[in-house]
Amino acid sequence: MAHIGTAKSTGTKIHSVSGDCERPGIYEYPYGTSIRRMLEDCGARDTQAVQVGGPSGVCISAFEFGRRIAFEDVPTAGAFMVFDRSRDMFEVAHNFAQFFAHESCGFCTPCRVGTTLVVKGMDKLAAGRGSRHDIDVLFELNTLMHAATHCGLGASACNPLRDTIVKFRPAYERHLKSLHFEPGFDLDAELSIARRMTGRDDPAAHLENAR
Amino acid sequence: MTVTSDGPSGGPTLFSLDGEDVEFRPGETILQAAHRTGRYIPHLCWHPEFRPHGSCRLCIVKIDGRAGAACTVQAAPGQEVESNSEQMNASRKTLLQMLFVEGNHFCPSCEKSGNCLLQATAYEMGMEGPHFEEFYPDRPVDASHPDILLDFNRCILCELCVRASRDVDGKNVFAIGGNGIGTHLLVNSESGKLVDTDMALSDRSASICPVGVILPKRRGFVIPIGERRYDVKSVAEPDNQEAS
């Protein structure tokens, strides 16, 4: 086995290939195989991203498909999830966030509360009520959870979030109501009572950004 | 770090805490040694009378650049421990804010205000607001016991009452149940009510709660606000680091 693979990663690795490809299944490759080669073999087309190593692994974007599976480059536990361009990478990360909140054992503060805060933050973005500030808060949570959790689950719970914010930021910004302010609530809707009381509904009675 | 001689050979065993040498005894954790020598590393679930739990993460420090809980990491000669730094205290503030939004903590109406370790530590860490949106969980109180009230709204899951009841009182009245954000404090009785346990006001578990969950009935506001433990002295003072 020692002559197969790379200098630091000898032998082969079994991968569970799933997602947007023609031939999902179990594949065995020597360490050092490129992600592009694996995508070609499983019949993946128009691929946007691959989640390597499962939810707590790394999200690899198209310009990185030349990277290789090995301890010295992209390590993996075996999961290889393919996402084509029809997928919204924000929704992918949103889904992973729910997975981690569900999996958290609840023992330590940063994971128990942090995974829930991440879900709530992403729910807010998904509902179209988020702002750039919310993305910054998610990033701060990622930093804290990496340093403060009791075990690796909490530490890696924000990995898909971190990778997708860095590599697929437009997918997040599409969900933002505004890039410039922080809409904790709908200000124009709050004015509806005042409009009703004054019997007005003309354009001047609405905020300029509303409607 | 300058001195690194070993204990068995006679010399002191030292680690460095924020650049200051701290002498430790064999088997001590970083937090134990710091506490014994009058230094302050913020903590909630750790108490000198009990074995460490390591769940609140308030005592997070960097040991030779790597993050760890000071209450569970054993002291070793030559360790460089970073605790009272801007970065560590910022992490602690966020952890406190997490605990505040997770439960229902209304200090002005809480009997424990001024005697509360959570509140005192939050003041010490410069927390001025919750930062995150509150969860406002629905947690009914248990007023079934004739002498003791349980207000679960304030529980921070430090597990001290579980340890006190099991290890000191030998009664196993409390347990932690559930998982994830649903993790909660339980009463070990058929009905789940405190009245159906053998808990007594004189038990250690009745006085151990660092926040306002386990309270004696009919004893409200004996010491007025303004004259309470943390009203007069900071939680960082060597003899004031425990609320219970």
Side-chain angles (χ1 to χ4, degrees):
Chain A
M1 283 299 249
H3 68 276
I4 305 172
T6 70
K8 288 181 183 165
S9 316
T10 54
T12 63
K13 177 79 193 108
I14 302 222
H15 300 265
S16 169
V17 176
S18 64
D20 298 318
C21 61
E22 285 166 14
R23 294 175 293 279
I26 305 296
Y27 290 71
E28 184 174 8
Y29 286 101
Y31 275 109
T33 304
S34 75
I35 288 162
R36 183 172 290 115
R37 166 79 200 275
M38 293 175 63
L39 287 168
E40 282 165 8
D41 289 350
C42 71
R45 292 185 209 293
D46 205 20
T47 306
Q48 177 178 203
V50 184
Q51 184 74 23
V52 181
S56 44
V58 286
C59 186
I60 302 289
S61 63
F63 73 90
E64 304 170 279
F65 287 168
R67 293 180 67 182
R68 290 163 193 282
I69 301 289
F71 292 106
E72 51 267 57
D73 190 2
V74 184
T76 180
F80 191 93
M81 299 167 78
V82 184
F83 299 95
D84 70 18
R85 293 200 185 274
S86 71
R87 309 290 172 180
D88 178 348
M89 291 312 289
F90 168 80
E91 276 308 320
V92 171
H94 193 187
N95 207 6
F96 283 143
Q98 287 162 349
F99 165 81
F100 280 108
H102 184 262
E103 289 298 315
S104 170
C105 83
F107 174 78
C108 73
T109 311
C111 178
R112 183 181 68 243
V113 187
T115 52
T116 300
L117 284 170
V118 169
V119 170
K120 283 175 183 267
M122 296 190 84
D123 285 348
K124 188 179 172 189
L125 292 178
R129 288 186 290 106
S131 69
R132 186 169 276 175
H133 172 76
D134 293 293
I135 295 183
D136 293 342
V137 169
L138 288 171
F139 229 86
E140 286 166 24
L141 284 169
N142 166 54
T143 309
L144 176 78
M145 288 164 72
H146 257 283
T149 54
H150 180 73
C151 83
L153 183 123
S156 59
C158 288
N159 285 4
L161 175 78
R162 179 201 59 200
D163 288 353
T164 51
I165 289 180
V166 171
K167 296 173 185 175
F168 301 95
R169 202 172 173 103
Y172 281 77
E173 295 187 339
R174 267 200 296 279
H175 288 274
L176 300 185
K177 185 142 188 163
S178 162
L179 291 177
H180 308 294
F181 70 107
E182 187 187 339
F185 58 95
D186 183 345
L187 192 53
D188 190 64
E190 298 293 319
L191 292 174
S192 63
I193 299 168
R195 278 195 294 269
R196 202 169 61 238
M197 288 170 74
T198 53
R200 286 180 59 181
D201 198 25
D202 55 288
H206 288 270
L207 293 171
E208 57 176 327
N209 287 333
R211 287 206 150 177
Chain B
M1 190 68 223
T2 46
V3 187
T4 55
S5 54
D6 302 331
S9 60
T13 42
L14 300 171
F15 65 89
S16 161
L17 177 62
D18 295 322
E20 216 177 286
D21 281 348
V22 177
E23 192 184 335
F24 67 92
R25 295 169 182 166
E28 268 188 334
T29 62
I30 290 168
L31 182 48
Q32 272 177 319
H35 184 264
R36 185 177 44 75
T37 55
R39 293 167 173 90
Y40 177 57
I41 297 177
H43 55 268
L44 295 173
C45 72
W46 182 81
H47 191 287
E49 293 170 25
F50 297 92
R51 285 177 62 81
H53 192 236
S55 66
C56 76
R57 312 307 283 178
L58 256 287
C59 69
I60 180 174
V61 291
K62 267 192 192 164
I63 305 136
D64 297 326
R66 199 176 165 179
C71 71
T72 55
V73 177
Q74 279 208 349
Q79 281 168 332
E80 294 276 355
V81 181
E82 173 192 332
S83 173
N84 188 19
S85 64
E86 207 176 305
Q87 194 196 356
M88 290 295 105
N89 288 338
S91 295
R92 290 174 183 134
K93 189 165 97 174
T94 308
L95 291 167
L96 287 158
Q97 286 165 328
M98 286 178 164
L99 288 168
F100 269 92
V101 300
E102 181 191 19
N104 295 309
H105 298 275
F106 307 115
C107 297
S109 63
C110 180
E111 212 288 320
K112 197 81 174 196
S113 185
N115 289 326
C116 172
L117 192 64
L118 178 71
Q119 183 193 43
T121 310
Y123 276 129
E124 191 64 28
M125 291 296 110
M127 183 184 137
E128 289 170 345
H131 184 58
F132 304 111
E133 212 169 303
E134 283 95 342
F135 293 6
Y136 294 130
D138 185 13
R139 299 187 190 165
V141 302
D142 179 349
S144 63
H145 195 282
D147 300 320
I148 300 160
L149 170 72
L150 297 182
D151 189 338
F152 297 108
N153 289 291
R154 301 156 183 168
C155 185
I156 56 170
L157 301 167
C158 70
E159 207 235 14
L160 278 168
C161 59
V162 177
R163 279 173 275 172
S165 185
R166 183 190 60 215
D167 303 339
V168 180
D169 307 329
K171 292 185 178 178
N172 263 318
V173 169
F174 296 104
I176 306 277
N179 68 293
I181 199 64
T183 307
H184 57 283
L185 183 62
L186 287 170
V187 173
N188 276 327
S189 68
E190 196 96 357
S191 63
K193 293 286 178 199
L194 195 63
V195 70
D196 295 322
T197 68
D198 52 355
M199 183 163 176
L201 202 50
S202 56
D203 288 352
R204 185 64 180 103
S205 65
S207 63
I208 191 67
C209 184
V211 294
V213 179
I214 307 172
L215 295 168
K217 285 186 174 178
R218 297 176 296 281
R219 245 191 252 163
F221 299 93
V222 172
I223 302 169
I225 300 244
E227 295 171 24
R228 297 180 166 203
R229 179 187 288 270
Y230 297 116
D231 294 333
V232 291
K233 214 162 145 188
S234 157
V235 67
E237 296 291 325
D239 59 347
N240 211 31
Q241 295 185 11
E242 264 57 60
S244 50

